[in-house]
Amino acid sequence: MSEISYSRQNENIECIHYKDWNKTYPPHTHTSHLTVGYIEEGKMCMVLNGKKRIYSKGDRFQIPPDIVHQIMPVDNQTYSMVVLCIKTTEKFSSENYESRNKNTYKELSTRLKELRDTILENPENLYLIDEMAKDSNISPFHMIRQFKKAFGLTPHQFQIQCKVRKAQKLLEEQSVSETTYDAGFCDQSHLDKSFQKLVGLTPKEYKKALKD
């Protein structure tokens, strides 16, 4: 029987145990968190920065903070793994962005970082693409392209991800109905759909999987 459980070691470390799991996770990042994992049983395929690799029983993997990745089963078989999410103090580096994008300027990377931080700090706020572009002094199309180059996700994808992460935190203390609006979702259906896509569980299932 497939199951997942979460346990928080302290404010900086969370342990997640996946047993007989077969869900696929779309491209996403772990903002300011280092992820370390160990495959207990089966095989898992990971696409990290566009490179695909299969991990088997006994393999370990590591995902740096803010790096886009995708996880999926192999041949539709189940996998079991233990994952540690470790909060880090590593910040987005404009130098790293410039080294990956030779034709951009430091001013642009600074604006993108400010936009990212604004979304990250208050994901529940209504923040439309046109407003993001205006605040960044960049055209909407150019802003979306450059943001994705820098962080692997579009601003909208990043905002939804941040809303789900906030919902995960709120669900430790609140009901699903309270969390829906506090995390910035228009209704519970929107929360359920976004949450399940990124976490692999509904908010109610996630609350049941939480352990002290």
Side-chain angles (χ1 to χ4, degrees):
M1 179 185 224
S2 63
E3 57 184 50
I4 183 173
S5 61
Y6 297 80
S7 60
R8 190 176 298 281
Q9 308 301 309
N10 52 52
E11 285 301 311
N12 297 317
I13 301 177
E14 182 180 46
C15 180
I16 310 168
H17 187 206
Y18 303 81
K19 181 180 178 183
D20 297 330
W21 209 243
N22 69 344
K23 293 186 182 294
T24 294
Y25 292 89
H28 64 285
T29 63
H30 296 286
T31 305
S32 300
H33 282 77
L34 169 67
T35 303
V36 180
Y38 174 79
I39 306 298
E40 294 181 311
E41 297 288 344
K43 296 180 180 180
M44 177 270 285
C45 178
M46 180 185 299
V47 180
L48 184 65
N49 262 346
K51 296 181 180 179
K52 182 182 291 187
R53 178 177 170 182
I54 293 177
Y55 293 87
S56 304
K57 180 178 179 179
D59 287 343
R60 294 174 172 81
F61 62 86
Q62 182 171 303
I63 306 169
D66 300 297
I67 299 298
V68 66
H69 59 282
Q70 183 177 5
I71 291 175
M72 62 200 78
V74 176
D75 297 328
N76 205 32
Q77 299 298 306
T78 62
Y79 57 91
S80 298
M81 64 181 181
V82 178
V83 174
L84 289 179
C85 289
I86 306 165
K87 190 172 183 180
T88 72
T89 57
E90 182 177 329
K91 302 295 184 181
F92 168 70
S93 167
S94 60
E95 289 78 14
N96 288 342
Y97 175 67
E98 288 169 11
S99 69
R100 295 199 301 266
N101 304 275
K102 302 291 186 181
N103 297 323
T104 59
Y105 298 94
K106 188 172 183 180
E107 181 182 357
L108 175 58
S109 63
T110 299
R111 289 187 221 154
L112 292 174
K113 179 186 179 300
E114 290 173 351
L115 174 58
R116 171 188 177 275
D117 290 346
T118 297
I119 297 172
L120 184 61
E121 289 168 10
N122 297 289
E124 71 280 6
N125 290 346
L126 181 62
Y127 200 15
L128 302 177
I129 292 296
D130 286 346
E131 294 173 328
M132 295 180 191
K134 183 178 179 181
D135 290 346
S136 303
N137 196 28
I138 313 171
S139 71
F141 179 73
H142 189 56
M143 182 269 293
I144 292 171
R145 286 188 61 193
Q146 294 304 322
F147 192 98
K148 186 170 183 178
K149 281 185 179 181
F151 308 114
L153 302 172
T154 67
H156 178 68
Q157 289 171 328
F158 183 69
Q159 187 177 42
I160 294 296
Q161 174 179 287
C162 289
K163 285 184 178 184
V164 171
R165 299 301 185 205
K166 177 156 190 171
Q168 285 182 274
K169 183 68 176 176
L170 291 173
L171 285 169
E172 295 177 12
E173 304 291 339
Q174 296 184 178
S175 68
V176 175
S177 59
E178 289 176 309
T179 296
T180 297
Y181 300 104
D182 287 349
F185 291 95
C186 57
D187 54 42
Q188 192 169 322
S189 175
H190 188 204
L191 168 64
D192 287 352
K193 183 178 179 180
S194 300
F195 199 98
Q196 190 163 21
K197 183 177 180 181
L198 191 63
V199 181
L201 300 171
T202 66
K204 288 182 179 178
E205 290 170 335
Y206 178 77
K207 274 189 74 71
K208 290 180 181 178
L210 291 173
K211 294 183 177 180
D212 296 329

